[in-house]
Amino acid sequence: MMKDFIKKRILSSPIRKNVVANLFGVGVNLLNQVVLVPFYILCWGKDLYADWIVITAVTAFFSMSDIGLNNVIQNRFAIKFAENNLKECNKLITINIFIVSIIFLVALLFSILYICAFDFGKQVGLHILSRREAGFVFIMLLVHVFLGMYSGIESAIYRASRRTAQAVYFDQFAKLAYVGIIFACLFTKTPVIYMVILMCLPNVILIFVKHIIGKEYFLYKFRFSDMDFGLIKKLFIPSVSFLSFPLGNAIILQGYTLLVNKFFGVDAVVLFNTTRTLTNFAKTLLSTIQQSVWPEYSVAYGKKDYFRMRLLYHKTLKTAIIGVAVIIIGLMMFGPYIYEIWTHRQVIFSYELMIAFLVVLFFYNFWVSGSVTLMATNNHMRLGVLFVLSAAISLSIAYFILQKVQNLSLVVYTMLFMHLTMVIYTAYSAKKILKEK
């Protein structure tokens, strides 16, 4: 009975499939980002683990070097596929491969030249790894980042054919294999230089698997004649605009941390960031919902099916509101106990501060749930600019207030300027795209 219910109700809808696949991804990320940490320390020691954190943090910046191209191309591919414009679909994948390859070669060349000319390990303050080892690990992690970009190119095919969940499962099983390789290398005391080589294998296999299976849904052929520079110009501005979102997040996350440190000191920074991390758990739910409905928006937009888009918008908003409300109530009831256990009572909990973060989270929920309407249809350019500007203004308001009144909860409430601005703009813009009366 339960098996039939799951099969008919949960696994029959593309969106439900996407939700399940993305929740599986949350579990894999939890394994990678949380569970692995004590094993790093146990098997490597703090010094080598610190070296690993620094190198991975540096190479992580290269993940933004595709300037949001992958997102924009996947959106446009789904729209054009729905319009049955298969010629442009082929062009879009070719353009993506070409641009990622150019960026990869330039980044690889300059990185090799830099490592040969300078002592990378000394410049970033490594403790254990030698100059040669640090350079090799850095280059291999760079290769790993770009292999991840290549593996994401043909996800456009799966998104357009409403098989996003399949691509997500492929990605997450590759990440699971990556985590398994790290576990095995840690316990067998495998040198780091060999471990980073083995880490690249899952993404290499993933590229071939996605390509072979993707042929069933769209027969892609690489042709140099498909390099359409006019089309590249059309893709450039939306692609660059996607960078505004990590930039705005950096202003909020890093900017407010620096501000709290300046006016309140170290203890307040720890309290501020741990409380924010506790309440930000709800953002995982919002991200899962957003990623699950994103492909369906693109397909419906390509088909000019505005009724389905409106239905998706209202269901997404309703689901997000209910989900976030449940989390907020749960944290109001059990947040103090969770916080004390989590921090081992080393940090004094502030209920007032948590409430401030929960209020901000409530309004954040509204615009993020609606923003997918703009982002999935490549109508996000003004949204990105507004996000950065409103984040900068919120930070400025916080700085001005702290000159007069030093209250940690009040600092959090200044973020409401950004979120209320984004709520108003997102609602207005989504209404125009959805052609809602």
Side-chain angles (χ1 to χ4, degrees), residues 388-405:
V388 173
L389 289 176
S390 59
I393 292 171
S394 292
L395 187 64
S396 301
I397 292 171
Y399 181 81
F400 176 77
I401 288 175
L402 286 174
Q403 302 286 338
K404 309 292 183 182
V405 181

Side-chain angles (χ1 to χ4, degrees), residues 151 154-155 157-158 166 170 204-220:
S151 70
E154 291 199 71
S155 291
I157 296 171
Y158 295 84
Q166 190 176 5
F170 286 153
V204 173
I205 295 169
L206 179 62
I207 292 168
F208 285 103
V209 169
K210 276 189 176 179
H211 177 69
I212 292 167
I213 296 177
K215 284 182 177 180
E216 297 177 19
Y217 317 129
F218 178 78
L219 191 59
Y220 168 70

Side-chain angles (χ1 to χ4, degrees), residues 355-369:
I355 292 297
F357 274 114
L358 291 178
V359 171
V360 169
L361 173 68
F362 182 74
F363 288 98
Y364 168 85
N365 161 55
F366 278 96
W367 76 263
V368 167
S369 300

Side-chain angles (χ1 to χ4, degrees), residues 3 25 48 50 94 215 246-247 249 272 341 348 351 387 417-418:
K3 186 178 179 182
L48 182 55
T94 300
K215 284 182 177 180
L247 177 59
N249 284 325
F272 184 87
I341 294 169
I348 298 173
Y351 199 85
F387 181 44
F417 173 83
M418 176 190 70

Side-chain angles (χ1 to χ4, degrees), residues 91 94-96 98-99 223-230 232:
K91 286 182 178 181
T94 300
I95 288 170
N96 206 349
F98 180 78
I99 293 178
R223 292 188 292 259
F224 283 106
S225 58
D226 279 342
M227 283 303 301
D228 186 335
F229 291 97
I232 292 173

Side-chain angles (χ1 to χ4, degrees), residues 255-302:
Y256 272 85
T257 298
L258 294 173
L259 202 63
V260 170
N261 184 56
K262 176 180 173 62
F263 284 95
F264 295 95
V266 175
D267 290 341
V269 169
V270 175
L271 173 63
F272 184 87
N273 280 280
T274 50
T275 307
R276 180 170 61 186
T277 301
L278 178 68
T279 57
N280 277 357
F281 170 76
K283 291 186 178 181
T284 304
L285 170 68
L286 296 176
S287 177
T288 300
I289 295 170
Q290 188 184 55
Q291 293 300 319
S292 299
V293 299
W294 188 314
E296 296 302 308
Y297 267 113
S298 300
V299 172
Y301 188 68

Side-chain angles (χ1 to χ4, degrees), residues 161-178:
S161 57
R162 303 185 74 186
R163 292 177 175 87
T164 302
Q166 190 176 5
V168 172
Y169 279 122
F170 286 153
D171 292 338
Q172 297 308 323
F173 276 116
K175 190 178 287 187
L176 199 59
Y178 156 88

